[in-house]
Amino acid sequence: MTVQEKIKAKTRTVEELLALVPDGAVICNAGTGFQGFYSKLHTIADRLTKPVVVYGYAGGKDNAYFWDDQYKEKFVTWSEFFGKPLRDRHPAGNVSLIPLHLHAFMDRFLDVYKPNIYILGTTMVDRHGYVRTPLSCPNRRAIDMADIVIACVNPLAPTVYGDTEISIDDIDYIVEEANPINTFDPGPLTDVDRAIGQNVATLVEDGSTIQLGIGAIPDAVAQAFMSKKDLGIHTEMITSSMADLCLAGVVNGSKKTLHRGKLVGGFASGSQKLVDYLTENPSVYLMPLEYTNHPAVVAKNYKMCSINTCIEVDLTGQIASESIGPRQFSGSGGQNDTAEGAIHCPGGKSIIAFASAITKKDGTRISKIKSVLTPGSIVTLSRNNIDYIVTEYGIAPMKARSVRQRVDNLIAVAHPDFREQLRAEANKLMLW
Ligand code: COA
């Protein structure tokens, strides 16, 4: 069969695909651009006797299966990370987090569950009979295990190189829909963000390989790297600011010991400028998160610096990054993965950076450095895996530091308004 004949034989409508969803199905997805399928998923609700599990975020603002209370017993969403929609919907009870490190999330999930359906948002089928997931990689084991693999081919999806291609022979059905790729611009930087960025920049030597995490602070840090030389990138998430660093020539990967000269990442999320930079760029290499985030792989890089942010930290260096007290806010993501890789890398550094204090919506000012974590807080990064904690007031070394030294170092970079109180609490709790 020619590629065109295969496309024709495999093409279905969304309604035809929905008819294939079994009762109590487990549905996984990768890539982006499958809104058509999910916007109509609720239409099968009447025939379900067991809930359908959707693994991974697939909710749009208008997807009834996810947002409409009348369907919440019929469809549940599980994910290892909460973005805003999952966070907003969590109180309804149809969304639940699966605590997992990102390097292992899909493998550990597939050890327990067999997907009935694996949906891939992809580029159009090319002349060789291949599609590509645009800004992340497919999971090969999920493709092999799923009863049905569906490609939602999207004429607006950009081609990004790496381990992203899938043969049409591995795809059971194709549905075409044009979906613009979601992009967003980073917010403006404050003076505090810039000061934090400058402090982190003093820790990162020219030639280092960097990972920057999710959130405003890692973006600010990248801007402070503009005067660096020969940086490399090995990261979970490719951010907007990384495109700026590459375009400025600050990142060239020339000192990298793994994938020299290549920007290696697990997925990309950010601005249109970032998407434009990644599109058909031979120096960009998307690799599965099982690879990019595996601590043993991270550790093979040259002077690996893992740079992430958090919700709060206690005076001994325990890092809470995914919950506000007991309320799940995001997820572990790869924070532990890249930090653990960095501490096993010669010359590597595990860094957490954040503003020393924030003003809550009710006007109260709080310190992000606490004597003890807020009850219910989830520890994302063990205090054993942190080398430096950075605020706008400086750098608190943690590596091989005793609890007494950690307390002193952290109080020195806490907001001045809270230092006295933190000292009194530390003494009362005998944190030494
Ligand atoms: N106490 C109470 N609320 C706090 C807080 C604290 N100590 N620190 C932050 N918050 C609130 C903020 O006010 C904000 O509230 P809002 O949503 O109502 O505006 C919210 O928590 C998010 O804080 P912000 O600092 O704006 O978050 P961010 O977008 O910079 O992301 C993390 C920060 C920690 C949530 C994010 O980095 C994360 O999820 N990390 C874990 C995963 C990870 O690091 N992966 C690494 C590789 S990508």
Side-chain angles (χ1 to χ4, degrees):
M1 271 172 122
T2 65
V3 170
Q4 284 312 316
E5 286 166 345
K6 286 181 186 175
I7 294 173
K8 198 165 167 216
K10 292 178 187 235
T11 296
R12 298 287 186 279
T13 63
V14 166
E15 286 71 18
E16 286 170 325
L17 295 174
L18 288 168
L20 302 173
V21 179
D23 199 17
V26 173
I27 307 178
C28 298
N29 54 69
T32 60
F34 21 60
Q35 282 89 327
F37 181 89
Y38 285 108
S39 69
K40 293 185 182 159
L41 185 56
H42 65 285
T43 60
I44 67 165
D46 284 349
R47 66 173 171 82
L48 297 177
T49 63
K50 288 178 277 184
V52 163
V53 172
V54 177
Y55 185 52
Y57 168 60
K61 257 296 165 202
D62 45 7
N63 285 349
Y65 88 88
F66 182 78
W67 292 104
D68 192 330
D69 280 347
Q70 66 173 303
Y71 300 117
K72 69 180 195 182
E73 309 299 331
K74 299 278 187 174
F75 303 94
V76 293
T77 295
W78 296 342
S79 184
E80 79 296 335
F81 194 87
F82 284 5
K84 189 168 180 346
L86 295 187
R87 196 181 300 146
D88 289 350
R89 191 65 182 141
H90 189 210
N94 59 340
V95 173
S96 191
L97 186 104
I98 302 188
L100 288 171
H101 294 307
L102 211 51
H103 82 271
F105 84 109
M106 209 56 198
D107 267 336
R108 287 176 71 80
F109 183 81
L110 294 174
D111 284 348
V112 179
Y113 304 98
K114 174 181 163 56
N116 300 96
I117 300 192
Y118 191 36
I119 303 192
L120 303 160
T122 70
T123 56
M124 302 299 282
V125 184
D126 69 17
R127 66 196 170 93
H128 302 290
Y130 284 84
V131 293
R132 286 180 185 272
T133 43
L135 298 175
S136 61
C137 296
N139 184 285
R140 304 285 166 190
R141 192 169 158 215
I143 292 176
D144 290 345
M145 283 176 68
D147 297 327
I148 299 171
V149 177
I150 299 171
C152 297
V153 298
N154 177 7
L156 303 177
T159 292
V160 183
Y161 300 132
D163 192 14
T164 55
E165 84 293 341
I166 308 133
S167 163
I168 193 170
D169 294 333
D170 289 330
I171 292 164
D172 298 298
Y173 300 111
I174 292 172
V175 59
E176 181 179 334
E177 56 183 78
N179 283 303
I181 297 293
N182 286 335
T183 58
F184 64 91
D185 289 321
L189 298 184
T190 64
D191 289 344
V192 169
D193 297 336
R194 283 193 199 89
I196 294 166
Q198 289 304 331
N199 287 336
V200 172
T202 63
L203 290 171
V204 176
E205 296 168 45
D206 286 344
S208 298
T209 308
I210 57 167
Q211 172 269 334
L212 297 173
I214 188 165
I217 297 296
D219 262 332
V221 166
Q223 298 311 322
F225 286 169
M226 281 298 172
S227 55
K228 302 261 167 217
K229 284 196 203 79
D230 301 331
L231 295 182
I233 293 176
H234 181 103
T235 190
E236 165 191 328
M237 182 167 98
I238 306 177
T239 63
S240 306
S241 54
M242 290 181 179
D244 295 337
L245 289 172
C246 293
L247 288 164
V250 172
V251 166
N252 58 23
S254 61
K255 298 283 190 290
K256 279 183 95 177
T257 42
L258 190 65
H259 306 292
R260 190 185 170 107
K262 292 244 189 291
L263 189 178
V264 175
F267 67 94
S269 175
S271 62
Q272 185 58 47
K273 188 176 170 191
L274 170 68
V275 174
D276 292 344
Y277 179 76
L278 300 177
T279 301
E280 293 173 13
N281 186 331
S283 71
V284 173
Y285 210 57
L286 284 177
M287 295 290 279
L289 290 160
E290 292 78 7
Y291 177 81
T292 56
N293 277 35
H294 198 292
V297 175
V298 174
K300 282 186 191 163
N301 283 286
Y302 182 67
K303 294 191 177 174
M304 184 73 219
C305 293
S306 160
I307 304 162
N308 293 305
T309 187
C310 70
I311 297 287
E312 64 180 38
V313 53
D314 77 10
L315 280 175
T316 75
Q318 297 194 88
I319 314 282
S321 308
E322 62 189 274
S323 74
I324 300 177
R327 183 166 71 85
Q328 190 74 44
F329 185 83
S330 55
S332 303
Q335 186 165 114
N336 187 74
D337 295 342
T338 53
E340 200 177 328
I343 66 166
H344 289 294
C345 171
K349 290 173 184 154
S350 158
I351 301 167
I352 290 286
F354 54 87
S356 64
I358 57 161
T359 306
K360 295 210 316 194
K361 285 206 176 78
D362 63 6
T364 25
R365 191 103 176 111
I366 56 166
S367 171
K368 280 173 77 95
I369 298 177
K370 298 269 166 67
S371 52
V372 289
L373 294 176
T374 303
S377 295
I378 296 157
V379 175
T380 308
L381 187 56
S382 156
R383 63 187 187 175
N384 304 357
N385 282 354
I386 180 77
D387 291 338
Y388 298 97
I389 292 176
V390 178
T391 73
E392 70 275 30
Y393 291 102
I395 299 165
M398 297 283 115
K399 183 175 179 178
R401 300 316 199 269
S402 69
V403 167
R404 186 185 287 275
Q405 288 172 310
R406 286 168 174 240
V407 170
D408 290 346
N409 295 349
L410 278 166
I411 290 176
V413 301
H415 193 282
D417 291 352
F418 298 99
R419 287 181 194 169
E420 205 176 308
Q421 180 193 339
L422 286 168
R423 175 62 65 195
E425 288 172 4
N427 289 340
K428 193 166 164 209
L429 294 165
M430 292 188 286
L431 296 180
W432 52 65

